[in-house]
Amino acid sequence: MLKLKGAFLSGAKLIMRKFSSSANTIYSLSSGQGKCGVAVIRVSGLKSLTALMSLTTFKAPPTPRNAYLKKIFHPKSKEFIDRGLILWFPGPGSFTGEDSCEFHVHGGRAVVAALLDALGSVPGLRPAEPGEFTKRAFYSGKMDLTEAEGIADLIHAETEMQRKLAVIQANGHLAKKYNVWREKLTRILAHFEAFIDFGEDENFDEDVLRKIMRDVGEIKREITEHIDDGRRGEILRNGVRAAIVGAPNVGKSSFINILGERPVSIVTDIAGTTRDIVEISCNISGYPVTISDTAGLRNKGNDIVEDEGMLRARECAKHADFTIIIMDAIQVVEYLSKNPQNSIRDYIEEYLKAMEIEIYSPEHIYLVNKTDLIREAPTNLAEQRLFWVSCKNSFGLQIAIDEVRKSLKNICGEPTTENPVLSQARHRHLLCEGLIHLNVFHDYVGILLNSTNSPVELDFAIVAEEIRSVIQSIGKITGSVTTEDILDVIFRDFCIGK
């Protein structure tokens, strides 16, 4: 089986080299779009050196990885385009693993357009497709699929925590974890096949199977722990969905404006000002959050528009990762004074029931707003996740916002290289698929070991196939087993030039 695995990987590498060497030379703007101080145009492929020498005065290949200040000309019209830095990276010592060069020129749109036109006039060159440079790096063995996905996430990262998550994956820490599992499973398969081949030999007994079972059980535990993470990495990658809910005119719009640090929602003393969901994307302590300001909730609206707004508000709260429930301080104080035998938790329970609010997110907080309208906030109510605040004079807001930050950390975690987390639904699906096969294998071998009668009639070849399926599932994550369909899905969201 080990020989078969080696032959498969060698064949995969051969296909990769064939793809890379037969592909056209590609070029594209790799720096940001629009006006900028410096623009970087990247070229990769067999004709890279031809392109470099066609546009410059080089008569021989320049020294690799040295920067040269050169005039750049159109190869056909000989018109001067710009003067910039030229770098030459012969393969495999380049990002893509192919011959590659870069033109660093002034970032004006006209300069970039003229240089791209000049490259397009060189025979054998064509514009790059989205993600094609990274795709070629994958085919050349410069990175696996998890690292390529990490690069894509790094490009799209908007907050510090998203950047950390992407860097960890792009640097191969997630791939390392998966490759360790794959190597262990390959050894397990080799031992199991040896047991099949020599099972009747007196030197082999059930201790071999028990050792295999222990190893399989350990991998099962590790994969299960990796999967059962509350989808922290996926939420961090895509952003936390937060909902602000409550009765009309309790200060929901005021609070979202404070969190967003700008006037997102209209604030008035008129109940029902917000009738639809107003969303804002913001960065809170490095965590990406999409906060939804919802319509005020009550038993019955004044019209069908308000009823629809309340329906959407309840659905938003139901599917949120984090929920902020806001109440009116005056109503809370009146309730407690009229019902001294009840606690504020009794009020909250009645409040949620009256508003028909269902909270499914484990992370949520309660804010009692408008403390500026009461004499003083109660001091003997030490309630977890409940804060007395005033959006008008900022009383208690800093403590409440600190609690929001803690909740976001609980939801997303904090990325570390020691324990890289899942951030892709694709990985989760394939690992769950692999776990099913591991369980089947574990159950079959367990039946064999626990049989008190004569040996159970089991097709060991079929049982071994379960381990092969797990290895294949993990291989699909890292790209050691792949198809063009998988690659198309992964690289289609890359920007052109990367």
Side-chain angles (χ1 to χ4, degrees):
M1 180 58 198
L2 291 174
K3 292 181 179 179
L4 180 62
K5 178 197 174 194
F8 172 80
L9 291 178
S10 297
K13 290 178 180 177
L14 181 62
I15 293 172
M16 292 177 187
R17 286 197 297 269
K18 181 179 178 182
F19 174 89
S20 182
S21 62
S22 64
N24 291 330
T25 299
I26 57 174
Y27 64 90
S28 178
L29 172 68
S30 288
S31 53
Q33 299 288 336
K35 293 181 180 180
C36 55
V38 176
V40 178
I41 288 84
R42 175 185 285 171
V43 183
S44 180
L46 293 176
K47 299 280 188 179
S48 295
L49 185 58
T50 302
L52 186 153
M53 298 181 72
S54 297
L55 273 68
T56 64
T57 57
F58 281 111
K59 302 301 181 183
T63 304
R65 286 169 288 280
N66 278 18
Y68 294 88
L69 183 62
K70 286 283 185 178
K71 291 183 177 180
I72 303 170
F73 301 88
H74 196 287
K76 288 189 175 179
S77 67
K78 306 303 179 184
E79 182 181 0
F80 172 71
I81 296 174
D82 193 14
R83 188 170 66 165
L85 294 178
I86 313 297
L87 293 97
W88 163 239
F89 304 95
S94 68
F95 172 74
T96 60
E98 305 174 320
D99 288 350
S100 179
C101 66
E102 291 180 358
F103 297 84
H104 296 226
V105 296
H106 292 98
R109 291 189 180 95
V111 175
V112 172
L115 184 50
L116 293 176
D117 179 68
L119 289 170
S121 69
V122 178
L125 270 67
R126 65 166 175 81
E129 297 175 358
E132 193 168 2
F133 288 99
T134 308
K135 193 173 185 179
R136 291 190 177 201
F138 163 73
Y139 274 117
S140 297
K142 289 289 185 177
M143 64 181 69
D144 72 359
L145 284 187
T146 63
E147 293 169 306
E149 289 169 318
I151 289 174
D153 288 346
L154 193 56
I155 293 170
H156 295 294
E158 296 182 347
T159 72
E160 176 61 13
M161 290 303 172
Q162 284 180 320
R163 183 197 66 79
K164 285 185 177 181
L165 181 69
V167 165
I168 289 170
Q169 185 167 327
N171 285 341
H173 294 286
L174 195 60
K176 183 178 179 181
K177 177 187 283 285
Y178 295 155
N179 286 330
V180 167
W181 289 341
R182 201 161 182 265
E183 290 170 6
K184 288 180 179 179
L185 287 164
T186 301
R187 287 197 297 271
I188 288 171
L189 182 58
H191 293 157
F192 188 70
E193 291 189 332
F195 175 82
I196 295 173
D197 292 338
F198 306 104
E200 295 180 359
D201 191 301
E202 62 180 6
N203 294 326
F204 283 82
D205 55 27
E206 68 177 34
D207 288 342
V208 175
L209 285 182
R210 294 196 183 281
K211 174 65 166 62
I212 290 173
M213 286 285 279
R214 286 195 297 271
D215 292 342
V216 168
E218 180 66 18
I219 294 176
K220 275 180 56 180
R221 182 188 63 78
E222 291 178 6
I223 293 178
T224 300
E225 289 178 355
H226 188 60
I227 293 172
D228 295 340
D229 63 346
R231 297 182 181 269
R232 288 183 173 184
E234 291 167 75
I235 293 174
L236 176 55
R237 178 175 178 265
N238 298 318
V240 179
R241 296 172 302 171
I244 300 179
V245 295
N249 206 27
V250 294
K252 300 184 298 298
S253 297
S254 297
F255 191 66
I256 195 174
N257 289 344
I258 290 169
L259 289 177
E261 298 180 342
R262 63 181 188 272
V264 179
S265 292
I266 299 173
V267 178
T268 72
D269 293 330
I270 303 172
T273 299
T274 303
R275 291 200 156 199
D276 201 353
I277 295 175
V278 178
E279 291 188 339
I280 173 178
S281 295
C282 58
N283 179 345
I284 301 178
S285 295
Y287 294 100
V289 188
T290 299
I291 308 173
S292 299
D293 181 18
T294 63
L297 298 172
R298 47 189 166 189
N299 291 329
K300 184 174 177 57
N302 293 325
D303 51 52
I304 58 173
V305 176
E306 186 177 3
D307 288 339
E308 178 63 24
M310 291 192 294
L311 177 64
R312 295 185 183 188
R314 293 183 177 106
E315 284 297 308
C316 183
K318 190 183 297 185
H319 297 102
D321 301 310
F322 176 53
T323 312
I324 302 170
I325 302 96
I326 302 185
M327 299 164 284
D328 189 314
I330 295 176
Q331 296 177 9
V332 173
V333 171
E334 287 180 355
Y335 173 87
L336 294 176
S337 62
K338 291 179 181 178
N339 303 279
Q341 74 283 4
N342 291 351
S343 68
I344 193 168
R345 289 294 166 183
D346 295 316
Y347 175 82
I348 291 173
E349 185 177 338
E350 293 181 19
Y351 183 76
L352 295 177
K353 185 176 181 180
M355 300 297 108
E356 299 179 23
I357 303 173
E358 297 180 80
I359 307 299
Y360 290 99
S361 55
E363 292 295 331
H364 53 270
I365 63 171
Y366 301 95
L367 301 184
V368 182
N369 186 35
K370 300 188 178 181
T371 55
D372 54 288
L373 299 180
I374 59 177
R375 291 184 178 179
E376 60 179 349
T379 57
N380 59 342
L381 295 174
E383 293 286 345
Q384 187 180 17
R385 297 179 181 270
L386 187 143
F387 304 89
W388 294 77
V389 302
S390 170
C391 291
K392 186 174 183 178
N393 63 21
S394 300
F395 171 80
L397 280 179
Q398 190 56 54
I399 298 175
I401 292 174
D402 287 343
E403 186 65 22
V404 170
R405 295 190 178 105
K406 291 179 184 177
S407 294
L408 294 176
K409 185 175 181 179
N410 291 337
I411 293 168
C412 299
E414 189 166 353
T416 62
T417 56
E418 293 78 16
N419 187 30
V421 296
L422 276 170
S423 63
Q424 305 274 347
R426 183 181 76 88
H427 300 182
R428 185 177 299 278
H429 169 75
L430 289 168
L431 287 174
C432 288
E433 186 180 86
L435 200 55
I436 292 172
H437 291 293
L438 268 183
N439 285 326
V440 172
F441 177 87
H442 195 271
D443 292 343
Y444 273 138
V445 178
I447 292 172
L448 179 63
L449 287 172
N450 296 325
S451 175
T452 56
N453 302 322
S454 59
V456 178
E457 291 295 329
L458 288 177
D459 190 329
F460 288 115
I462 293 178
V463 177
E465 194 63 31
E466 299 296 335
I467 295 295
R468 287 194 190 90
S469 296
V470 185
I471 295 172
Q472 187 176 47
S473 292
I474 297 176
K476 288 179 180 177
I477 297 176
T478 60
S480 56
V481 178
T482 190
T483 66
E484 279 301 310
D485 290 340
I486 293 176
L487 298 181
D488 288 342
V489 170
I490 291 172
F491 289 103
R492 69 185 178 192
D493 293 330
F494 274 71
C495 60
I496 295 175
K498 189 57 183 174

